[in-house]
């Protein structure tokens, strides 16, 4: 646990410094702003690949999606904490260099930075102060965990499933068609592609619903907790 935390604390800033050094050596014509922006994106890409890879390993190793456990899920939470802190600073650094290039560096206060990046900062803060404690303390029986589960279901339903009928409705509204008429007035491959895209979303949503039912089953929730 502490070793993973220390590793993440060294890894992400160290990778950022290494990328900046390499860009300064191989691309002397690039400005400091360019190097900071590219290095930030490279580190974020590496983190995304690591997170995706960890997710694939966990999924392939767990036979039961509701009760399966894997050591990597626990360890990666500790590895994620330093990244969220680093990334918040990296965002501020990127904004500072952009403002400097525009002769507005003196106006980039912490308050203005938070105001312009409130969604991303909120995202990082929720992961650090809500997701991490819940994942570490195994508080599946608490109200906070249940509220988070309901919000996850609602967000998944709206953004990954209802998005498809909304797209059809929007097209029908533009073309003067009803929702049921739209599939017959668009290319067949569009319907096939959308079917392939929405099918796994419905499957994953059903798994989330099953997990939610277990969550609100008090005896089982207490047992899991």
């Amino acid at each position: 646990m502490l070793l993973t935390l220390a590793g993440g604390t060294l890894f992400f800033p160290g990778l950022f410094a290494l990328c900046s050094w390499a860009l300064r050596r191989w691309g002397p014509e690039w400005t400091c702003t360019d190097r900071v922006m590219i290095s930030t994106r490279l580190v974020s890409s590496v983190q995304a690949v690591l997170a995706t890879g960890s997710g694939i390993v966990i999924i392939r190793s767990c036979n039961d999606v509701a009760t399966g456990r894997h050591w990597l899920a626990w360890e990666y939470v500790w590895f994620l904490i330093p990244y969220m802190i680093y990334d918040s600073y990296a965002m501020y650094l990127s904004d500072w260099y952009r403002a400097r290039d525009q002769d507005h560096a003196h106006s980039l206060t912490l308050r203005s930075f938070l105001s312009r990046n409130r969604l991303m900062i909120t995202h990082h803060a929720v992961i650090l102060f809500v997701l991490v404690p819940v994942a570490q303390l195994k508080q599946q029986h608490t109200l906070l965990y249940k509220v988070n589960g309901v919000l996850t279901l609602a967000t998944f339903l709206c953004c990954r499933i209802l998005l498809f009928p909304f797209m059809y409705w929007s097209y029908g509204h533009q073309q003067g068609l009803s929702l049921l008429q739209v599939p017959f007035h668009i290319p067949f491959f569009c319907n096939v592609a959308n079917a392939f895209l929405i099918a796994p979303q419905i499957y994953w949503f059903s798994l989330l619903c099953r997990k939610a039912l277990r969550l609100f089953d008090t005896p089982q929730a207490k047992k899991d907790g």
Side-chain angles (χ1 to χ4, degrees):
M1 179 180 68
L2 294 179
L3 184 61
T4 304
L5 183 64
T9 302
L10 295 174
F11 177 76
F12 292 112
L15 181 59
F16 175 84
L18 179 62
C19 291
S20 300
W21 173 82
L23 292 172
R24 184 168 59 251
R25 182 176 180 181
W26 296 334
E29 70 280 3
W30 287 338
T31 65
C32 290
T33 303
D34 293 332
R35 292 196 294 267
V36 169
M37 297 288 290
I38 295 174
S39 299
T40 300
R41 283 164 172 73
L42 287 173
V43 175
S44 296
S45 299
V46 170
Q47 198 284 136
V49 171
L50 292 175
T52 303
S54 299
I56 293 174
V57 170
I58 293 169
I59 291 173
R60 291 177 63 87
S61 302
C62 295
N63 296 322
D64 192 318
V65 297
T67 61
R69 296 291 184 269
H70 193 280
W71 66 268
L72 190 56
W74 168 264
E75 290 295 329
Y76 201 83
V77 169
W78 290 101
F79 192 66
L80 187 64
I81 294 174
Y83 171 76
M84 289 299 163
I85 298 173
Y86 147 80
D87 196 50
S88 298
Y89 173 73
M91 285 192 299
Y92 177 80
L93 192 64
S94 298
D95 274 15
W96 188 89
Y97 274 103
R98 281 198 299 264
R100 190 193 66 170
D101 288 350
Q102 300 170 2
D103 294 328
H104 297 310
H106 62 279
S107 63
L108 183 63
T109 63
L110 180 61
R111 182 176 180 179
S112 64
F113 167 74
L114 294 176
S115 177
R116 288 192 296 180
N117 299 275
R118 62 171 65 93
L119 289 179
M120 187 60 71
I121 295 299
T122 301
H123 165 264
H124 284 36
V126 167
I127 290 179
L128 284 173
F129 300 112
V130 177
L131 176 62
V132 170
V134 168
Q136 290 173 3
L137 300 179
K138 301 183 182 299
Q139 302 261 319
Q140 290 91 336
H141 61 283
T142 63
L143 178 62
L144 177 62
Y145 191 92
K146 293 179 180 179
V147 169
N148 180 71
V150 171
L151 291 176
T152 300
L153 282 176
T155 303
F156 195 99
L157 177 64
C158 293
C159 298
R160 293 203 173 190
I161 296 180
L162 296 183
L163 173 65
F164 290 90
F166 175 75
M167 290 191 302
Y168 277 62
W169 175 86
S170 298
Y171 179 82
H173 181 72
Q174 180 180 354
Q175 300 295 326
L177 302 171
S178 68
L179 179 62
L180 297 179
Q181 291 176 318
V182 171
F184 303 100
H185 288 79
I186 60 176
F188 177 72
F189 73 86
C190 291
N191 292 317
V192 174
N194 286 327
F196 273 106
L197 289 173
I198 197 173
Q201 312 300 330
I202 295 176
Y203 172 70
W204 292 328
F205 184 70
S206 68
L207 297 182
L208 289 174
C209 290
R210 286 173 54 191
K211 178 64 176 178
L213 290 176
R214 292 171 60 88
L215 187 64
F216 285 92
D217 182 3
T218 305
Q220 184 64 43
K222 289 183 177 180
K223 181 180 178 181
D224 291 343

